[in-house]
């Protein structure tokens, strides 16, 4: 059982918690969405910066109506497309916590199925098995935040219960016209998680490392002999910063619905900011390090970064690293493309720029 294994790991970590002078990196991957980069001067140096974009809710943190009046076709919701957050190996870990559609609690209707058997583990799974020419989406309404996802046809897709404990409603929906979606089936339930990091340790649609065998193997190689979670963060961070380059062509052409293919990103050694963040998160989760892929705003640009969890610190938010004296914010995309210049480190160290919108 994962709870017993996690408890044993935590006990070992408490006995050997890292010394203050070990530099630990928590990643923060800046993201560009649907267009190429513009330039912004930071500390006298030109850096890549996303253009000012409006979120679906018109302003960061704004709210949009979830439901509209009932029509003859049944329940209907309004959902715009979500913006895209820009941007010989050891064997894989054998006990990866793969999500499972257990079939114990299932709600079905009009071709869609919602399996909510494992909500205490922080996820639901949704499937539309048949072919369908209409666009399909899943909406997860949590205690504080509403999440919207694309739903491909075929197999089960995993969606995290990112809001933690509380009341949820999950809807599988089919496009009718414009941004209007008819509800195929829905289910409501209350969640009490087994532990607070349950939604942030398993694969899901945004951090899909379940079939990424090369990504898992590279993470195992990089962290071989490394026991402390923050040291694992450090070696994974350094690998990505030093080996990936920013894909400006993809950034200029990426469309809504884009999802990172982790093994493809690893093989090409290039990607947009969303790819940087998802690859790091997948690597760390595969090594048993709970972490959140955080999507939000740095200034007016849509970004993504990562927060990590340890037994000693709980959730360490804000994507930071320790230089032996002070904690700093770190952005792997800017750090990689700007060669860790002093100006860029000063710019991304300003936590006031960052505002959380979604957790995956």
């Amino acid at each position: 059982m994962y709870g017993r294994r996690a408890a044993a790991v935590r006990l070992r970590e408490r006995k050997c918690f890292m010394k203050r002078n070990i530099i630990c990196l928590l990643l923060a991957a800046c993201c560009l969405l649907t267009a190429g980069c513009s330039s912004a001067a930071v500390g006298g140096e030109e850096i890549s910066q996303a253009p000012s974009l409006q979120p679906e809710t018109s302003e960061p943190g704004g709210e949009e109506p979830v439901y509209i009046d009932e029509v003859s076709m049944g329940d209907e919701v309004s959902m715009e497309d979500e913006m895209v957050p820009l941007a010989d190996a050891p064997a894989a870990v054998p006990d990866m916590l793969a999500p499972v559609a257990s079939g114990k609690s299932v709600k079905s209707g009009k071709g869609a199925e919602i399996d909510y058997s494992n909500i205490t583990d922080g996820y639901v799974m949704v499937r539309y098995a048949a072919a369908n020419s209409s666009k399909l989406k899943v909406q997860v309404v949590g205690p504080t935040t509403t999440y919207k996802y694309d739903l491909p046809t075929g197999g089960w897709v995993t969606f995290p219960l990112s809001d933690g404990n509380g009341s949820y409603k999950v809807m599988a929906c089919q496009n009718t016209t414009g941004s209007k979606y008819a509800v195929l089936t829905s289910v409501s339930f209350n969640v009490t998680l087994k532990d607070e990091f349950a939604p942030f340790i398993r694969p899901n649609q945004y951090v899909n490392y379940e079939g990424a065998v090369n990504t898992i193997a590279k993470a195992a190689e990089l962290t071989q002999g490394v026991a402390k979670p923050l040291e694992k963060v450090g070696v994974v961070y350094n690998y990505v910063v030093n080996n990936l380059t920013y894909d400006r062509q993809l950034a200029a052409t990426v469309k809504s619905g884009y999802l990172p293919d982790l093994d493809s990103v690893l093989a090409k050694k290039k990607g947009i900011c969303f790819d940087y963040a998802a690859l790091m998160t997948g690597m760390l989760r595969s090594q048993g390090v709970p972490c959140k892929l955080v999507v939000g705003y740095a200034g007016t640009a849509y970004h993504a970064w990562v927060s990590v969890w340890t037994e000693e610190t709980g959730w360490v938010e804000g994507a930071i690293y320790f230089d032996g004296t002070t904690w700093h914010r770190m952005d792997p995309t800017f750090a990689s493309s700007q060669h860790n210049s002093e100006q860029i480190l000063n710019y991304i160290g300003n936590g006031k720029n960052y505002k959380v919108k979604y957790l995956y």
Side-chain angles (χ1 to χ4, degrees), residues 88-116:
D88 298 334
V93 178
D95 55 349
M96 183 185 73
L97 296 172
V100 178
S102 303
K104 296 178 181 178
S105 300
V106 179
K107 184 70 179 295
S108 302
K110 300 179 183 177
E113 301 170 84
I114 303 172
D115 189 310
Y116 58 108

Side-chain angles (χ1 to χ4, degrees), residues 18-65:
M18 64 190 305
K19 295 179 181 178
R20 248 179 97 81
N21 61 350
I22 295 177
I23 296 180
C24 301
L25 306 173
L26 303 180
L27 43 122
C30 266
C31 308
L32 299 170
L33 284 191
T34 56
C37 302
S38 61
S39 294
V42 178
E45 179 172 332
E46 292 290 315
I47 63 169
S48 298
Q49 179 66 287
S52 177
L53 298 175
Q54 293 297 326
E56 292 183 21
T57 55
S58 78
E59 291 293 340
E63 298 297 332
E64 64 179 359

Side-chain angles (χ1 to χ4, degrees), residues 2 7 40 50 58 60 68 105 119 123 130 139 145-146 154 176 210 339 345:
Y2 176 68
S58 78
I68 65 171
S105 300
I119 57 177
Y123 68 92
Q139 184 161 271
T145 309
T146 296
T176 55
E210 183 174 4
H339 309 294
L345 294 182

Side-chain angles (χ1 to χ4, degrees), residues 279-302:
L279 180 62
M280 294 182 192
T281 305
M283 282 184 164
L284 291 170
R285 288 184 185 179
S286 76
Q287 285 297 304
V289 180
C291 52
K292 303 171 184 175
L293 192 161
V294 187
V295 172
Y297 292 86
T300 59
Y302 210 40

Side-chain angles (χ1 to χ4, degrees), residues 121-293:
D121 286 324
Y123 68 92
V124 296
M125 302 186 77
V126 184
R127 177 174 68 175
Y128 193 101
N132 192 320
S133 59
S134 298
K135 192 168 187 178
L136 302 170
K137 282 185 179 288
V138 170
Q139 184 161 271
V140 179
V141 182
T144 61
T145 309
T146 296
Y147 291 81
K148 294 164 289 185
Y149 303 91
D150 288 342
L151 177 65
T153 57
W156 291 100
V157 183
T158 307
F159 303 100
L161 302 174
S162 303
D163 267 5
N165 297 335
S167 177
Y168 286 81
K169 183 175 184 179
V170 177
M171 292 172 280
C173 307
Q174 178 176 305
N175 184 241
T176 55
T177 180
S179 62
K180 306 302 181 185
Y181 284 74
V183 177
L184 302 175
T185 189
S186 66
V187 62
S188 298
F189 47 79
N190 290 315
V191 172
T192 301
L193 296 174
K194 290 180 179 177
D195 49 61
E196 64 181 295
F197 51 81
F200 307 111
I201 192 65
R202 291 171 175 81
N204 60 44
Q205 189 187 58
Y206 273 37
V207 188
N208 189 12
Y209 67 90
E210 183 174 4
V213 294
N214 295 330
T215 296
I216 296 172
K218 175 56 72 174
E221 174 190 330
L222 293 171
T223 59
Q224 187 172 11
V226 179
K228 300 173 183 178
L230 292 181
E231 287 183 329
K232 290 183 179 183
V233 174
V235 295
V236 169
Y237 178 92
N238 281 329
Y239 174 81
V240 174
V241 166
N242 293 322
N243 288 276
L244 266 65
T245 57
Y246 190 76
D247 192 337
R248 296 184 181 278
Q249 181 178 1
L250 178 59
T253 58
V254 67
K255 303 296 183 183
S256 175
Y258 175 82
L259 294 170
D261 182 320
L262 301 192
D263 274 0
S264 177
V265 174
L266 185 68
K268 293 188 300 182
K269 289 185 167 56
K270 64 190 304 185
I272 58 176
C273 301
F274 191 12
D275 295 317
Y276 277 67
L279 180 62
M280 294 182 192
T281 305
M283 282 184 164
L284 291 170
R285 288 184 185 179
S286 76
Q287 285 297 304
V289 180
C291 52
K292 303 171 184 175
L293 192 161

